[in-house]
Amino acid sequence: MQTPKKIALMTAALLVTVQPAALAQNNAPVKLRFVSLAWQTQAIAAVKTAVAGCNAQSKSYQVDYQQVSWDSVQDYLTTSFEAKSVPDIFHYESTPVMEFGARGYLTDLSKMIPAEMKKDVAKGAWQTVTADNGNIYGVPFLWESLITLYNKDLFKAAGIRVPTVAKPWSWTEFQQASKKLTIDKNGDGTPEQYGSAFGLRSPTNRILNLALGFGGNYFYKSGNKYVIKVGDKEKALLKILLDMHYADKSAAPDGLTAQSPELFAGFFSGKFAMLPGIGVWARQTIAESGPKNFNWGVLPPMKALSQAQGSATQTLSIPASSTHKKEAMQFINCLANRTNDGKLAAGDWLFPTRTSSLKGSYFQSPNNGWKTASESAKYLTMAPFQEVSGFTEVKSKVLTPTFQQLLANRITLDDAAKQIEQQGNDILAKYYK
């Protein structure tokens, strides 16, 4: 027969035996799932190395890496949010992230971000992820500018002054140089060499971002809503593109239906002297795939009223339905720390949003145009379209098809402006009631 005393002693012994195992289980690191959009070999390696480093130093979490493509991530996330089967952290870009945040799908990080990170990341980058009410829906860690790549040998042969950071070109000077670099060698009316080639198959983001330098915002706040206006400031860049393609013909027609990467062959062969308005990432293609003796460089942004450019940021966000928000934020703090931010940016040939990382020797080197390219980061800012509800629909249904019609010379500039205003504002009216 078990006496009360014996029962008490046996219970105590059992507790001594069980408690350490239970405690060990309770203190085990939580499992986090991180969705990455890195797609280039060098970028994937940089992300995986950073994730492994964060896992090695953390006792509170362990991260499983999941690869998703840029082409499918929008549908993937939409389905995940609706099914409430979400990753704990995901990589995306600021414009759609802000739309997800407005719909209640994301965690507000404003009170979770360390003061050091808040201070070090560029102010313009924070603007891309901050709602009007102060909610922050992602940590911006990468961004890019639009640069101009040029053929140094063709510039030298034509006697063209190379603009510098201290003395950049105006857009008029750029047009003059492009015209001088356009050469019809056999006199048949078709140039064998063009001054410029723009990749304009998908023109909308490039036009909206570069228009900021002319003071053209396209989207303007009116009370609590946004409206579209296409005035002289918005038309300025469009007029330049039309003049270069159809008046002086210094821009190659090839670019009207091409994406930027499709123009590299012509750039390497000397058919195009410049590739204006191309993403800073494009330098990787030249450095790794271009002809060995190809003599190329990077020009600073052209100046209109200013050299301002709009830029979305690549972001790290936490879904509202994540059950491990604290640990997810700890991982973001590690993945986007000063050292990792620089390595991730270098792997993608982009800029780190951390100002301390951008000052590093890698980004200030003249090799592969890094120093000139990095100087352009100071002109980056948030374009108004990035915080417009319904922008995605306006872009797909109005802006892109209208810009394509205009650049194909099928409609006039004034008709394009009217079409954008009328049809665009009809769509926005559904989002701002």
Side-chain angles (χ1 to χ4, degrees), residues 14 23 87 93 146 203 208 249 285 391:
L14 183 63
L23 285 171
E93 63 179 353
L146 298 174
L208 297 186
K249 299 184 179 180
T285 300
F391 169 72

Side-chain angles (χ1 to χ4, degrees), residues 313-325:
T313 56
Q314 293 188 35
T315 55
L316 299 168
S317 298
I318 302 173
S321 55
S322 170
T323 55
H324 302 297
K325 295 182 178 66

Side-chain angles (χ1 to χ4, degrees), residues 156-210:
K156 184 177 180 180
I160 302 290
R161 175 186 79 83
V162 178
T164 63
V165 171
K167 193 176 180 182
W169 272 342
S170 67
W171 277 87
T172 299
E173 289 173 308
F174 160 67
Q175 289 175 267
Q176 291 169 345
S178 185
K179 188 173 182 178
K180 190 173 182 180
L181 287 160
T182 300
I183 303 172
D184 178 6
K185 297 178 181 178
N186 61 13
D188 67 353
T190 300
E192 286 73 38
Q193 177 182 305
Y194 287 92
S196 302
F198 295 85
L200 293 171
R201 182 190 299 169
S202 302
T204 302
N205 280 32
R206 183 173 304 183
I207 288 171
L208 297 186
N209 285 326
L210 290 177

Side-chain angles (χ1 to χ4, degrees), residues 68 244 254:
V68 174
M244 292 181 70
D254 313 51

Side-chain angles (χ1 to χ4, degrees), residues 44-204:
I44 291 173
V47 175
K48 286 185 174 180
T49 298
V51 170
C54 293
N55 280 341
Q57 69 182 44
S58 176
K59 296 181 179 180
S60 60
Y61 64 78
Q62 289 294 290
V63 174
D64 290 331
Y65 177 95
Q66 180 182 349
Q67 188 76 42
V68 174
S69 75
W70 281 96
D71 290 338
S72 63
V73 68
Q74 180 74 18
D75 290 339
Y76 168 84
L77 288 172
T78 300
T79 302
S80 297
F81 290 138
E82 291 173 353
K84 290 186 168 52
S85 176
V86 296
D88 296 285
I89 313 99
F90 68 89
H91 167 194
Y92 203 11
E93 63 179 353
S94 54
T95 304
V97 156
M98 294 306 289
E99 291 191 16
F100 282 137
R103 293 162 66 183
Y105 289 146
L106 302 182
T107 300
D108 170 25
L109 307 179
S110 59
K111 293 181 174 59
M112 303 172 71
I113 297 167
E116 176 273 328
M117 176 183 281
K118 192 66 182 291
K119 183 178 180 181
D120 194 28
V121 171
K123 183 179 178 180
W126 284 122
Q127 290 174 347
T128 68
V129 293
T130 304
D132 287 344
N133 63 3
N135 286 359
I136 296 176
Y137 292 120
V139 170
F141 72 112
L142 300 175
W143 59 355
E144 66 173 312
S145 66
L146 298 174
I147 57 174
T148 297
L149 301 173
Y150 77 104
N151 184 317
K152 291 184 176 181
D153 293 336
L154 295 183
F155 265 51
K156 184 177 180 180
I160 302 290
R161 175 186 79 83
V162 178
T164 63
V165 171
K167 193 176 180 182
W169 272 342
S170 67
W171 277 87
T172 299
E173 289 173 308
F174 160 67
Q175 289 175 267
Q176 291 169 345
S178 185
K179 188 173 182 178
K180 190 173 182 180
L181 287 160
T182 300
I183 303 172
D184 178 6
K185 297 178 181 178
N186 61 13
D188 67 353
T190 300
E192 286 73 38
Q193 177 182 305
Y194 287 92
S196 302
F198 295 85
L200 293 171
R201 182 190 299 169
S202 302
T204 302

Side-chain angles (χ1 to χ4, degrees), residues 371-412:
K371 184 170 178 59
T372 301
S374 296
E375 285 286 339
S376 67
K378 64 187 176 186
Y379 302 114
L380 297 179
T381 186
M382 185 188 73
F385 75 83
Q386 294 176 36
E387 58 180 3
V388 174
S389 297
F391 169 72
T392 302
E393 184 177 353
V394 173
K395 176 184 175 180
S396 63
K397 293 182 178 179
V398 180
L399 292 173
T400 297
T402 303
F403 286 144
Q404 288 173 335
Q405 286 178 309
L406 173 67
L407 293 169
N409 212 24
R410 294 186 191 131
I411 58 175
T412 68

Side-chain angles (χ1 to χ4, degrees), residues 163-365:
T164 63
V165 171
K167 193 176 180 182
W169 272 342
S170 67
W171 277 87
T172 299
E173 289 173 308
F174 160 67
Q175 289 175 267
Q176 291 169 345
S178 185
K179 188 173 182 178
K180 190 173 182 180
L181 287 160
T182 300
I183 303 172
D184 178 6
K185 297 178 181 178
N186 61 13
D188 67 353
T190 300
E192 286 73 38
Q193 177 182 305
Y194 287 92
S196 302
F198 295 85
L200 293 171
R201 182 190 299 169
S202 302
T204 302
N205 280 32
R206 183 173 304 183
I207 288 171
L208 297 186
N209 285 326
L210 290 177
L212 291 187
F214 297 83
N217 291 340
Y218 281 88
F219 294 87
Y220 293 86
K221 204 156 195 180
S222 176
N224 294 322
K225 65 180 183 178
Y226 276 93
V227 295
I228 302 178
K229 297 179 182 178
V230 185
D232 290 342
K233 293 178 180 179
E234 286 75 25
K235 292 177 181 178
L237 175 61
L238 299 175
K239 188 175 185 306
I240 288 172
L241 293 174
L242 291 173
D243 286 347
M244 292 181 70
H245 284 92
Y246 297 105
D248 64 35
K249 299 184 179 180
S250 67
D254 313 51
L256 291 170
T257 55
Q259 301 282 21
S260 294
E262 297 173 279
L263 300 173
F264 282 123
F267 186 51
F268 295 151
S269 70
K271 182 178 180 181
F272 313 135
M274 293 183 283
L275 298 181
I278 196 169
V280 71
W281 54 267
R283 296 166 302 127
Q284 181 179 15
T285 300
I286 303 176
E288 296 179 358
S289 305
K292 288 185 178 180
N293 297 322
F294 186 61
N295 196 12
W296 64 282
V298 175
L299 303 180
M302 273 78 80
K303 185 174 183 180
L305 296 178
S306 71
Q307 290 170 274
Q309 293 184 23
S311 178
T313 56
Q314 293 188 35
T315 55
L316 299 168
S317 298
I318 302 173
S321 55
S322 170
T323 55
H324 302 297
K325 295 182 178 66
K326 177 183 175 182
E327 292 82 4
M329 190 66 212
Q330 290 173 357
F331 170 66
I332 289 177
N333 292 341
C334 177
L335 187 67
N337 66 27
R338 291 179 179 181
T339 301
N340 285 338
D341 197 26
K343 290 180 178 179
L344 296 177
D348 246 336
W349 288 68
L350 302 176
F351 304 134
T353 57
R354 281 182 173 268
T355 55
S356 60
S357 301
L358 189 61
K359 292 176 182 176
S361 58
Y362 186 89
F363 299 100
Q364 298 304 314
S365 165

